[in-house]
Amino acid sequence: MDLVLDPPRGVAPVLLGMTLDEALAATSDWGEPRVLRRPGRNSAKASWTLDHVGVQVLAERGTQVTAIELWWPGEGRTSGTRVLLDGDDVFTTPAGTLFRRATERGWAVDVSQPEYPVVPGVSLGFTRHTSQEVERDTDGLPRYVTSVLVGGKDYYDRGKQARG
């Protein structure tokens, strides 16, 4: 299975702005999700594991989807599910290459928080943090990203950060 990132619109078949119920209907072939609704906080989320890749759909301010986050399967695990950004597999393409290609697309990559780089305006957020023993770059960060979040156009302009 391929999960194609389409920032700032979503990750097909889940689109930002659809209701959580619409997202659940669109992903019925993903299996039964874990759904957590927090009425007091006016938020909800649904999560799946697709061949070791974690997927979470967030409705942070009510019933509409505001972000989709995907997690790397973990050290030593392989997956038939690929998370693609313009043809690059996010979890198997070196982070430096992902960020260079993003810059070539005309996107500004903010690495002021090296473990949590973001592409504001698009809105993509990456995590380069893990406690697992993984290959690391010369800067000590994992060579590959460990999660990616697709949010609405101004998601990171509001000061939010993805946490994997």
Side-chain angles (χ1 to χ4, degrees), residues 9-131:
R9 289 173 282 286
V11 179
V14 180
L15 299 176
L16 301 174
M18 67 177 20
T19 67
L20 186 60
D21 289 337
E22 289 170 334
L24 294 174
T27 57
S28 62
D29 61 333
W30 290 3
E32 192 66 31
R34 289 184 313 238
V35 178
L36 175 62
R37 297 180 193 265
R38 295 183 176 165
R41 291 187 182 176
N42 198 28
S43 68
K45 63 183 172 181
S47 58
W48 298 260
T49 301
L50 304 174
D51 192 21
H52 303 293
V53 173
V55 180
Q56 190 169 74
V57 173
L58 305 167
E60 298 162 301
R61 295 178 307 279
T63 61
Q64 292 185 306
V65 174
T66 55
I68 302 125
E69 189 167 15
L70 303 105
W71 291 279
W72 166 66
E75 181 186 9
R77 290 191 176 161
T78 58
S79 177
T81 297
R82 298 184 312 160
V83 176
L84 302 175
L85 177 63
D86 284 345
D88 292 325
D89 187 331
V90 171
F91 298 130
T92 62
T93 301
T97 301
L98 281 176
F99 303 149
R100 185 185 84 251
R101 290 184 181 156
T103 301
E104 290 168 358
R105 287 182 197 99
W107 298 344
V109 180
D110 178 354
V111 293
S112 60
Q113 293 185 21
E115 292 182 323
Y116 304 102
V118 299
V119 183
V122 170
S123 282
L124 283 172
F126 298 92
T127 301
R128 290 187 72 189
H129 175 79
T130 183
S131 60

